[in-house]
Each structure stands twice: as C-alpha cells, then as structure tokens.
Amino acid sequence: MRLAIIGLSIVLSAAAQDRTEPNPKDTEVWTPEPGVVTPGAAAGAPSDAIVLFGGTDLGEWVSAASPGKPADWIVGAGMFTVRGGSGDIQTRRLFTDYQIHLEWRVPATLAGSGQARGNSGLFLASTGKGSGYELQILDCAGNKTYANGQAASIYKQHIPLVNACAPAGEWQRYDVIWTAPRFTADGALISPANFTALHNGVVVQNHVALQGESVYAGKPTYRMHGPAPIKLQDHGDAVSFRNIWVRPL
C-alpha cells in the first residue's frame, strides 16, 4: 500500500507540473535584432535607400536601348521629363526584390484621350527593349480607357482596385513592393512575380501574382531572367518624375 501511495504522489506531482502556466519569456526572441532605419521626412528617402533621382541629375539612369549611353531626358526644377522620341531609360543598377517610391505628373493641359493622355510606364523589371512588367502611368482623372490599361494597372493583366488618380498637372505617387519571379537553372518557372502597389497612398494592387511579362497583344508569358534594371517608358508624352528611391529587400 505504501508503494502505491508513493506512486500516486509521483503521478500527481507530474500532473501538477504539466499544469504549470507557460513562461512568456520562453517565446521572446531577442536576437538578431532588425537593423535601424531612419524614415525619410514625408515621402523622403529612408536612410538605407538608393536614391535614383534626388532632383539634380540622371546619374543613376542610362539609355535602355544603349545602356552604355547616359539617359537623354530633360532635367530641371527638381524633376526630369520624358524627351519624346529619345527612348526609354533604365537604372544602371540591377534589382531583384525591392520597395520603390516614385512621383510622377502628366501635363496640366492634355489634348488627347484614352491611352493618348500622359502615357508612360514604370517597368518593375526590364527584360529587354520595350519589354518587362509594366505598371501603367496615365491620366485617368475623368479620362476613360480600358480598365486593365488605366493608371496603376499592370498593363493588360491586373485592373487596379480603385481609380486613385489626381487631376492632370498634380504630382502623384506610386509606392510598390516588388518580388521578382524565380526560375530553375533550365528556365522553368518556380514562382511568379508578385507585387503590392499604392497610388497616392491608396492600395490599388494587393499582393497580386503576374501571369508573365506585359504585352500589348496576346497572352502574357514568362522567360527566364535574373536581376534586372527598373525602366521608365518614353511613350511620346511629356510625363515628369521626381523623388525616386528604392530599397532592395
């Protein structure tokens, strides 16, 4: 009997230990600590950002058609503007996953309509001349066009959740988080590109997966690529840009 009582005591003791409240310190992770980043003022560049245009020169940009040549767009008054007919420009550096901030403005007086109204594009990864993944830039404040080609669309793929366009002549901003597609060594797609975009502070694309590169006609497809430049499109319209920075992720 005595042995039975001792055995019961041990079982009860173990059960009591099992009922012990968990210690919150056991789930506290202290290291490694995230690095410290100082946010920029308003839409200014954070301390760890690469400034692609700070208001004075296009030193971070080159001709997309001839990457050995400097970008030939018009710089002045703290901004730069498409020089129609000069061709697209792209970054000197290559990027994979990143966060980008870009401000753009279409002319205050526009005569065209539809796609002929302040047309340009932010190619989140350029894969060659005129190709890549395009976030559309266009005046869509009272200007009707096809929904998957309006401002903040991934051209011909993803319609923005809302139209957040400001009137022509006002500065607008894109804030984008871009995750590049991944491929196997022989070019098979492992995971598609996806992105989240805010237009003037409003979420317009919420972690959407892309079907492939942007195309004017036909079905989007992928082709293998690695790190790529960011590109801005010369569509002939005098669209202006300022305050562009990027944070590789």
Side-chain angles (χ1 to χ4, degrees):
M1 177 66 72
R2 181 176 176 80
L3 290 175
I5 294 173
I6 292 173
L8 178 61
S9 176
I10 292 173
V11 170
L12 292 175
S13 177
Q17 289 178 2
D18 290 341
R19 290 196 301 270
T20 301
E21 291 296 321
N23 187 342
K25 292 184 180 295
D26 293 340
T27 54
E28 295 175 356
V29 178
W30 287 75
T31 59
E33 295 183 63
V36 176
V37 171
T38 305
S47 59
D48 63 344
I50 298 169
V51 177
L52 297 177
F53 182 74
T56 57
D57 65 78
L58 288 172
E60 288 285 344
W61 300 83
V62 295
S63 164
S66 303
K69 296 182 179 179
D72 189 30
W73 289 9
I74 304 163
V75 180
M79 62 184 178
F80 65 94
T81 303
V82 176
R83 188 189 299 275
S86 65
D88 301 344
I89 65 172
Q90 67 185 34
T91 57
R92 293 183 180 275
R93 308 184 199 217
L94 306 182
F95 300 95
T96 303
D97 305 333
Y98 60 82
Q99 171 191 354
I100 188 170
H101 173 88
L102 174 146
E103 297 175 17
W104 57 275
R105 183 178 71 181
V106 302
T109 303
L110 293 165
S113 62
Q115 292 288 303
R117 195 171 174 85
N119 196 326
S120 184
L122 167 62
F123 281 77
L124 300 165
S126 174
T127 57
K129 185 177 180 180
S131 62
Y133 312 87
E134 181 187 5
L135 181 62
Q136 176 74 309
I137 291 173
L138 189 72
D139 173 36
C140 286
N143 173 45
K144 189 174 180 62
T145 188
Y146 43 93
N148 62 349
Q150 74 175 65
S153 65
I154 277 287
Y155 187 72
K156 291 287 183 79
Q157 287 192 52
H158 286 286
I159 299 168
L161 296 172
V162 294
N163 181 346
C165 265
E170 293 187 12
W171 282 104
Q172 312 199 47
R173 65 189 187 277
Y174 280 163
D175 290 281
V176 179
I177 299 172
W178 168 255
T179 302
R182 300 302 201 266
F183 302 88
T184 63
D186 60 359
L189 182 68
I190 298 174
S191 59
N194 65 72
F195 82 113
T196 295
L198 285 78
H199 183 189
N200 295 328
V202 178
V203 174
V204 288
Q205 302 283 358
N206 187 15
H207 194 67
V208 295
L210 276 63
Q211 303 158 26
E213 298 183 30
S214 300
V215 291
Y216 181 57
K219 187 176 181 179
T221 58
Y222 279 102
R223 51 181 166 164
M224 182 181 180
H225 65 84
I230 297 166
K231 181 167 62 185
L232 295 175
Q233 183 185 48
D234 170 13
H235 205 280
D237 294 339
V239 179
S240 298
F241 300 89
R242 70 179 187 185
N243 194 20
I244 307 175
W245 50 262
V246 63
R247 295 181 63 246
L249 300 175

